[in-house]
């Protein structure tokens, strides 16, 4: 169970914004868009709230090859792709099978309850720019 986290207008705006996105924005991108609805919000407040929401399990914090954390409101198990060139983090529409988790548990002799899998490579946009 997630630890209780106090309601705030800023947290609600951050979660609402991230819930509309599948491109896993950085804190700076969240700040840019949330500032449109809450003009006096600071970048520090956005960082603090993103970290609190991620620490409480209400958001995913996704480290990427661009050395910047990206954030995802979809906390259900799913795969990601991280572009080694531009740092983009993209959802992959592939379901995580229970068999995969069960096999990992059995082979490692650990009680695995979920998986966060990150594929890496070069995204289509970067591949197109190279041609």
């Amino acid at each position: 169970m997630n630890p209780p986290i106090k309601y705030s207008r800023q947290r609600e705006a951050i979660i609402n914004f991230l819930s509309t996105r599948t491109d896993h924005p950085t804190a700076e991108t969240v700040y840019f868009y949330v500032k449109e609805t809450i003009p006096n919000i600071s970048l520090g407040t956005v960082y603090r709230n993103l970290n609190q929401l991620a620490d409480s399990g209400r958001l995913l914090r996704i480290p990427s090859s661009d050395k910047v954390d990206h954030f995802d409101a979809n906390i259900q198990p799913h795969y990601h792709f991280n572009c080694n060139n531009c740092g983009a983090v993209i959802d992959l529409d592939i379901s995580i099978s229970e068999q995969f988790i069960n096999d990992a548990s059995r082979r490692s002799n650990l009680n695995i309850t979920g998986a966060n899998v990150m594929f890496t490579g070069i995204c289509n946009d970067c591949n197109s720019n190279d041609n």
Side-chain angles (χ1 to χ4, degrees):
M1 179 153 75
N2 294 332
I5 189 167
K6 198 170 148 184
Y7 170 83
S8 78
R9 190 171 134 233
Q10 292 91 346
R11 282 190 200 102
E12 180 181 39
I14 290 167
I15 290 171
N16 287 343
F17 169 70
L18 286 172
S19 296
T20 68
R21 304 291 291 253
T22 59
D23 61 345
H24 310 82
T26 64
E28 288 81 8
T29 301
V30 173
Y31 169 71
F32 178 79
Y33 284 96
V34 170
K35 193 166 179 57
E36 292 178 3
T37 56
I38 305 175
N40 63 340
I41 196 167
S42 71
L43 181 57
T45 297
V46 170
Y47 269 105
R48 186 172 45 261
N49 280 285
L50 285 168
N51 286 320
Q52 288 173 346
L53 290 163
D55 291 345
S56 72
R58 287 171 175 76
L59 296 177
L60 292 178
R61 180 186 299 112
I62 305 168
S64 75
S65 61
D66 62 3
K67 308 290 188 244
V68 177
D69 288 339
H70 294 248
F71 295 90
D72 190 354
N74 179 2
I75 59 172
Q76 299 305 311
H78 63 287
Y79 295 117
H80 292 103
F81 174 85
N82 181 210
C83 179
N84 293 328
N85 191 41
C86 70
V89 179
I90 303 163
D91 282 338
L92 295 180
D93 190 19
I94 305 169
S95 62
I96 296 178
S97 73
E98 286 297 315
Q99 185 63 42
F100 174 72
I101 294 171
N102 291 339
D103 285 349
S105 290
R106 184 177 44 76
R107 291 178 184 194
S108 65
N109 200 30
L110 298 169
N111 182 18
I112 297 173
T113 59
N116 291 311
V117 177
M118 177 73 72
F119 292 93
T120 60
I122 305 298
C123 71
N124 291 337
D125 288 341
C126 290
N127 270 331
S128 296
N129 291 338
D130 286 342
N131 295 330

